[in-house]
Amino acid sequence: MGLIGEVLALPLAPARGTLWVLRQVVAEAERQHYDPSVIRKELALLSEQLEAGEIDDAEFDRREDELLARSRTGTS
């Protein structure tokens, strides 16, 4: 049944390959999203935007809370 099973499953190979690629892309995106060094850089940029007057205190607080939540989620 091994050879016959492989032959019968052959039409599904492109779908299985695509699914594998999608899983790899999602895993890498999650790794980058929760990477502490990326979060630190985004926090630094956020501080610079506040100091330059590009964003107000409320926007800074909202985005800072989001970044800190990401940081906590990534380490759990």
Side-chain angles (χ1 to χ4, degrees):
M1 181 72 185
L3 181 59
I4 293 173
E6 289 294 320
V7 170
L8 292 175
L10 196 57
L12 299 176
R16 289 192 334 233
T18 301
L19 207 60
W20 180 84
V21 168
L22 288 174
R23 286 186 184 126
Q24 299 304 312
V25 169
V26 168
E28 180 61 18
E30 287 178 345
R31 186 194 65 74
Q32 289 181 17
H33 183 74
Y34 295 112
D35 184 346
S37 65
V38 171
I39 294 172
R40 279 192 299 273
K41 288 177 187 174
E42 290 182 25
L43 282 168
L45 177 62
L46 193 59
S47 294
E48 291 173 10
Q49 289 174 332
L50 179 64
E51 291 172 10
E54 296 173 7
I55 59 173
D56 61 11
D57 288 335
E59 177 70 9
F60 175 83
D61 289 340
R62 184 186 66 76
R63 291 172 55 190
E64 180 186 41
D65 288 344
E66 290 173 0
L67 289 170
L68 293 175
R70 253 175 57 193
S71 175
R72 286 188 298 272
T73 302
T75 58
S76 300

